[in-house]
Amino acid sequence: MSPSSRATSITDRIYPWFGLVIATSGIANLIGTPTLGRIGDRIGQYRILLVAFLGAAMAFIPQSLAHNLALLLCGRFLLGLFIGGMLPSLQVLVRKLAPLEKQATAFGMNSSATFFGNLVGPLIGGSVAASYGIRSVFYVTMSLLVANAIVIAFNRKALSPRTEETAI
């Protein structure tokens, strides 16, 4: 067997696992979104956002240390749970904080920010990986999530509804 055919054989065996690694966070989103949404209704969106951002940050630890598929899948699953928890909490806060006449604009800005992150994140991640190695991407992302949690923690009043007129 030539070295190039051996490499192709190994690569071909790895490809099916790529889909599973990516899909794992989507599966966890399906669980985390309604579950953390319900918990947020009971304990408040502010708390869920803090837990979700810190939990998502911590979910990058097993991913950054993964030397086997099981640990990588575990990290991706945890990430999906916590990212899923962010979505309903952010939507509720946008709904509560935006004036009635500006809610569509606020939801549009929220969606645009999400899509912008989906655009810029991989571009920056690729540059970080090329410059410092793939594991550094996990640490940079973890740091950004913790920084967001800190911003949320110091802006509790700003994340509280101003008046009852914003609620239907």
Side-chain angles (χ1 to χ4, degrees):
M1 178 183 273
S2 72
S4 64
S5 65
R6 182 176 176 272
T8 302
S9 175
I10 292 170
T11 307
D12 288 344
R13 288 183 296 188
I14 292 173
Y15 286 151
W17 296 107
F18 290 155
L20 179 62
V21 168
I22 300 303
T24 298
S25 60
I27 293 165
N29 279 156
L30 292 171
I31 298 165
T33 300
T35 303
L36 291 176
R38 274 191 302 277
I39 294 170
D41 288 341
R42 284 196 308 262
I43 69 169
Q45 307 308 324
Y46 170 81
R47 289 181 181 150
I48 291 296
L49 271 180
L50 278 176
V51 167
F53 272 98
L54 292 173
M58 297 304 108
F60 278 98
I61 293 172
Q63 292 180 76
S64 68
L65 301 174
H67 290 285
N68 61 53
L69 183 63
L71 191 56
L72 181 60
L73 289 173
C74 176
R76 295 289 301 171
F77 187 83
L78 291 171
L79 178 65
L81 284 176
F82 291 113
I83 295 294
M86 284 179 205
L87 300 176
S89 293
L90 289 169
Q91 291 169 349
V92 166
L93 287 172
V94 167
R95 167 69 181 84
K96 285 181 176 179
L97 296 173
L100 287 173
E101 67 277 3
K102 302 259 184 192
Q103 284 187 356
T105 300
F107 277 110
M109 295 298 286
N110 184 45
S111 294
S112 292
T114 300
F115 296 137
F116 183 72
N118 289 336
L119 168 73
V120 173
L123 295 174
I124 293 173
S127 297
V128 169
S131 299
Y132 304 104
I134 190 69
R135 292 189 192 281
S136 62
V137 174
F138 298 111
Y139 299 119
V140 169
T141 305
M142 197 180 330
S143 300
L144 291 171
L145 288 165
V146 169
N148 274 289
I150 291 168
V151 168
I152 290 167
F154 284 109
N155 286 289
R156 183 177 188 143
K157 284 188 178 186
L159 295 175
S160 299
R162 291 183 289 270
T163 64
E164 287 299 313
E165 67 189 36
T166 59
I168 292 179

